[in-house]
Amino acid sequence: MEGISLILSLLSGVALFLFGMTLMGDGLKKAAGEKLELILYRLTNTPLKGILLGTVVTAIIQSSSATTVMVVGFVNAGMMKVAQAIGIIMGANIGTSITGWILCLSYIEGTGGIAQLLSTATISAVVAIIGIIFKMFLKRVSYHNVGDIMLGFSILMVGMQSMSNAVSPLKSNEHFVNALTMFSNPFLGILVGILFTAVLQSASASVGILQALSATGGITFAAALPIIMGIGVGAACPVLLSSIGTNKNGKRTALIYLLNDLFGMLVWSVVFYTVHAFIQFPFMNLVMNPVRIALMNTVFRMATILVLSPFIRGIEKLVFVLIKDTQEDKEDQADFDLLEERFLAYPPLAITQSHLAMNGMASKVKKNLARSLELLNCYSEELYEQIQEKENIIDKYEDKLGSYLMQLTGREMTVAQSSEVSKFLHTLSDFERLGDHASNISKVANELYEKKFAFTKEGAYELGVLEAAVSEIVDLTVSAFIEDDLDSVSRVEPLRELTGILCDELKMRHIKRLQHGKCELKQGFAFNDLLANLERISAHCSNVAVAMIELDASDFDTHGYVRRIRERKNSDYVAYFEEYEEKYDINGYKKLKKAKKEEETPKNKKNKSYSKKKK
């Protein structure tokens, strides 16, 4: 019974410690506001600055994982290069050791005078009272953030004391002491450090618990060192998880965090234990205490960064080798390289380069839409992540092309050249929105997969017909844009009108299925989301077609053009519409069902009816 009580006391101490550390870190981050993020990606032009910055920022927010996750986000968004991120991540490894020194305060004890005033209980109580006053009675948000910091610090201290009190009786337990000596085996100690930190998702928490255990007097230098080495590697777990869904540079940045600690563990374990094999270090049996644990953690991390910092370029090359660019990634970069600022002085050349980059963007959009529709029929997490990654690249196209084309508008150009640039500016946002809708469809597919929703066979068939029509309008639009084919683009508007009619009809049929209980409301939201996205895709294709035709005629009026063409509906328009109407017939399901039923009718039944007629 006493053992269960100790375990519960230890677990409650761990819970308070983790909560206090999170509360304090969040409060520190909020108090600093967005300045931390601005500083992170602006002041990293040299590796040394990056290391110093990473150290300071992590010491402030008390989490190397949080710092690295922010950096992964910056690299993923293209605001920071992989090389810049390496220095910050190295600094974050040093900065996270500061928490261990703060935790040493929780072991200050005393029975009278100044010692009692400086005891953990007194400090925690005073800080908690001030924190409550800031949180409850002051109105400014900045004071509330300071209150969170103080309350988090107090809870963290109480948690540490709870852990220490829970494990203190174990110092005389023979089985516990024997278990701790097992960690003197370097391999086992490193493994325990990795697994324990991977579960807790925090290097600071793992070091704090090790400090609590050291207060029993049962942790030696030989047992503590391999655990400290493993803690760094285990702390990479939350960072690697945060990189799921990011682009390749984001994944490379997360991998750097792992490689830093992995190399540090390998280098120092090989060096230290090789030397120890020849020269028996006398301090291996030194009994550790919380201060010595904090010192060991800091020295190990600083020594690791000292060894690795000259090899920043090598680490960058390694992550690019481990996570290679595909041919498509290289094509993306090649498209961006086309937009050379020196070409702006020569508008004809700059326009040609812009057209090539726009072609690349249009092709990426077309492929991503195809992926999203494929995801509806055959879901895979890998394909879903690829769609989100490509969507980020499409957004980058809009940003780079938009900036480049706006600079180009300030140059002296002919009427034809101005018209070409206008066409690109008008169609750029439409292509970007097509990419957004592809991402939206993939999210609907993700929802359907996770919630195990399925449409009725009839609904799925009708949706498949609409998807085929939308795929064709996208293919038509992209091909016509790339080849500058005004004949092909004239087919877009009839197909756009048909997809609009199909969407309206599918909505009505879906409502009828709901009314007759053939379909549930939970699928209805997903079905309507798909219809809305597919309809908007057709609309944006129409916008691109209008821009191409009207700007060629030097008379840009989108609404006027669409109104006129629908009012006139010349023979070509009517012919195209009738062709698509026949091709994309949503009533085909009933015909298929009827034909299938006739095929399944037993032959003897047919023969029987035939014999009756004969009589």
Side-chain angles (χ1 to χ4, degrees):
M1 197 69 182
E2 186 181 351
I4 295 173
S5 178
L6 286 174
I7 291 170
L8 289 174
S9 181
L10 176 63
L11 292 176
S12 66
V14 173
L16 285 170
F17 172 77
L18 290 172
F19 176 69
M21 190 170 66
T22 302
L23 185 61
M24 186 172 69
D26 290 345
L28 285 161
K29 192 175 177 184
K30 287 176 185 175
E34 296 180 355
K35 292 178 182 177
L36 277 178
E37 298 183 1
L38 289 170
I39 290 168
L40 269 176
Y41 72 80
R42 282 184 179 174
L43 302 180
T44 53
N45 54 342
T46 65
L48 181 59
K49 282 184 182 179
I51 292 171
L52 292 173
L53 195 62
T55 302
V56 172
V57 170
T58 307
I60 290 172
I61 64 174
Q62 296 291 298
S63 173
S64 59
S65 298
T67 304
T68 307
V69 167
M70 272 196 287
V71 172
V72 169
F74 294 143
V75 174
N76 184 60
M79 293 188 293
M80 184 184 287
K81 293 181 179 178
V82 174
Q84 290 175 285
I86 298 174
I88 296 177
I89 293 169
M90 286 182 169
N93 273 282
I94 299 172
T96 194
S97 66
I98 302 299
T99 309
W101 292 103
I102 294 172
L103 297 177
C104 290
L105 295 173
S106 65
Y107 296 97
I108 298 174
E109 297 294 344
T111 56
I114 296 174
Q116 189 175 11
L117 288 174
L118 293 176
S119 69
T120 304
T122 306
I123 292 172
S124 299
V126 171
V127 173
I129 291 167
I130 298 171
I132 284 290
I133 292 170
F134 274 58
K135 184 77 174 172
M136 301 296 292
F137 301 106
L138 300 179
K139 293 182 179 180
R140 290 179 62 178
V141 175
S142 57
Y143 291 144
H144 290 182
N145 294 332
V146 173
D148 284 340
I149 296 166
M150 291 181 168
L151 288 170
F153 176 81
S154 300
I155 295 168
L156 181 145
M157 289 297 185
V158 171
M160 281 300 298
Q161 276 296 298
S162 296
M163 285 192 290
S164 298
N165 293 335
V167 298
S168 59
L170 297 174
K171 64 175 72 176
S172 57
N173 187 301
E174 186 180 348
H175 298 293
F176 176 72
V177 174
N178 291 335
L180 288 179
T181 56
M182 292 171 59
F183 298 151
S184 299
N185 180 318
F187 178 77
L188 185 61
I190 288 170
L191 187 62
V192 167
I194 292 172
L195 294 175
F196 199 60
T197 311
V199 171
L200 289 178
Q201 301 274 294
S202 171
S204 298
S206 298
V207 172
I209 292 171
L210 187 62
Q211 285 176 297
L213 290 172
S214 71
T216 64
I219 300 283
T220 62
F221 184 96
L225 181 60
I227 294 174
I228 289 288
M229 288 179 176
I231 282 172
V233 178
C237 185
V239 179
L240 293 172
L241 288 173
S242 75
S243 69
I244 295 173
T246 62
N247 59 28
K248 290 191 176 178
N249 279 336
K251 289 180 173 66
R252 288 174 183 130
T253 306
L255 184 60
I256 288 165
Y257 188 93
L258 173 63
L259 291 176
N260 273 338
D261 289 299
L262 191 61
F263 287 150
M265 181 198 75
L266 292 172
V267 168
W268 290 118
S269 58
V270 170
V271 170
F272 182 85
Y273 290 107
T274 301
V275 174
H276 177 61
F278 294 99
I279 305 170
Q280 294 294 313
F281 294 126
F283 51 79
M284 293 296 281
N285 293 320
L286 177 69
V287 175
M288 303 298 283
N289 58 35
V291 174
R292 286 172 178 166
I293 293 289
L295 179 62
M296 175 187 282
N297 187 37
T298 302
V299 170
F300 170 71
R301 289 174 179 277
M302 290 183 72
T304 297
I305 301 310
L306 192 66
V307 169
L308 294 179
S309 56
F311 303 101
I312 285 178
R313 294 296 177 194
I315 293 171
E316 182 187 7
K317 289 179 181 177
L318 178 60
V319 293
F320 274 88
V321 169
L322 293 174
I323 302 177
K324 295 180 179 179
D325 284 324
T326 62
Q327 185 59 38
E328 194 169 356
D329 295 324
K330 292 174 183 176
E331 288 172 7
D332 293 340
Q333 189 55 50
D335 286 339
F336 296 142
D337 292 341
L338 291 169
L339 306 176
E340 173 61 57
E341 289 196 12
R342 289 176 295 179
F343 296 156
L344 291 170
Y346 309 96
L349 182 57
I351 290 170
T352 301
Q353 299 295 90
S354 299
H355 197 175
L356 290 172
M358 286 283 293
N359 291 349
M361 180 185 187
S363 297
K364 301 293 183 302
V365 167
K366 176 182 168 181
K367 288 179 183 177
N368 226 30
L369 279 164
R371 291 186 191 103
S372 66
L373 295 176
E374 180 186 341
L375 200 67
L376 286 170
N377 300 316
C378 184
Y379 186 86
S380 79
E381 196 63 36
E382 185 181 352
L383 186 59
Y384 177 79
E385 289 177 14
Q386 187 182 12
I387 291 167
Q388 309 317 313
E389 183 178 334
K390 295 303 177 185
E391 166 58 12
N392 290 333
I393 292 170
I394 290 165
D395 288 342
K396 198 181 292 185
Y397 267 100
E398 187 196 29
D399 180 49
K400 290 185 178 293
L401 273 163
S403 300
Y404 194 76
L405 290 168
M406 288 306 294
Q407 290 181 70
L408 190 54
T409 56
R411 304 284 175 168
E412 188 177 340
M413 292 182 287
T414 64
V415 174
Q417 289 167 350
S418 296
S419 177
E420 190 77 358
V421 173
S422 295
K423 180 178 77 174
F424 296 153
L425 285 169
H426 276 100
T427 55
L428 183 61
S429 59
D430 285 298
F431 281 125
E432 190 276 332
R433 291 295 295 144
L434 286 171
D436 289 342
H437 289 298
S439 178
N440 292 344
I441 291 171
S442 72
K443 288 171 184 174
V444 175
N446 176 261
E447 182 187 1
L448 291 170
Y449 176 77
E450 289 187 346
K451 295 181 179 178
K452 295 181 170 55
F453 290 165
F455 301 130
T456 62
K457 290 182 179 179
E458 187 176 357
Y461 177 86
E462 292 167 356
L463 194 61
V465 173
L466 178 61
E467 288 171 14
V470 171
S471 295
E472 180 162 350
I473 198 172
V474 172
D475 290 346
L476 267 174
T477 305
V478 171
S479 299
F481 181 86
I482 291 173
E483 296 167 14
D484 208 9
D485 185 354
L486 294 176
D487 291 332
S488 295
V489 88
S490 62
R491 281 179 163 267
V492 171
E493 194 53 40
L495 187 50
R496 154 78 179 101
E497 186 177 358
L498 178 66
T499 54
I501 293 169
L502 290 177
C503 286
D504 291 339
E505 180 63 25
L506 261 59
K507 287 175 190 174
M508 295 305 298
R509 293 188 180 195
H510 184 66
I511 291 169
K512 286 180 181 178
R513 283 194 290 271
L514 282 170
Q515 291 172 341
H516 290 90
K518 294 180 179 179
C519 185
E520 295 180 35
L521 190 62
K522 58 187 180 182
Q523 289 106 322
F525 293 116
F527 193 82
N528 283 333
D529 282 346
L530 286 174
L531 292 183
N533 280 289
L534 291 168
E535 190 170 15
R536 293 308 303 156
I537 287 169
S538 293
H540 287 294
C541 287
S542 175
N543 291 345
V544 173
V546 169
M548 289 179 65
I549 292 170
E550 289 293 275
L551 284 168
D552 183 68
S554 302
D555 180 26
F556 188 78
D557 178 13
T558 305
H559 299 293
Y561 169 78
V562 173
R563 187 176 62 252
R564 288 195 304 272
I565 195 168
R566 287 183 179 173
E567 284 173 355
R568 293 173 189 169
K569 289 190 177 179
N570 58 35
S571 58
D572 287 340
Y573 185 99
V574 173
Y576 293 148
F577 184 86
E578 289 176 350
E579 176 190 332
Y580 292 131
E581 190 176 30
E582 185 179 351
K583 185 176 182 181
Y584 300 112
D585 180 14
I586 54 174
N587 296 313
Y589 179 77
K590 293 179 181 178
K591 295 174 184 175
L592 283 172
K593 195 174 180 182
K594 186 179 178 181
K596 191 175 181 182
K597 191 174 181 181
E598 288 176 356
E599 286 177 9
E600 291 173 353
T601 303
K603 288 182 179 180
N604 59 349
K605 190 175 179 181
K606 289 181 180 179
N607 293 336
K608 195 174 182 181
S609 65
Y610 173 75
S611 61
K612 282 182 180 179
K613 286 179 183 178
K614 195 174 181 182
K615 285 179 181 179

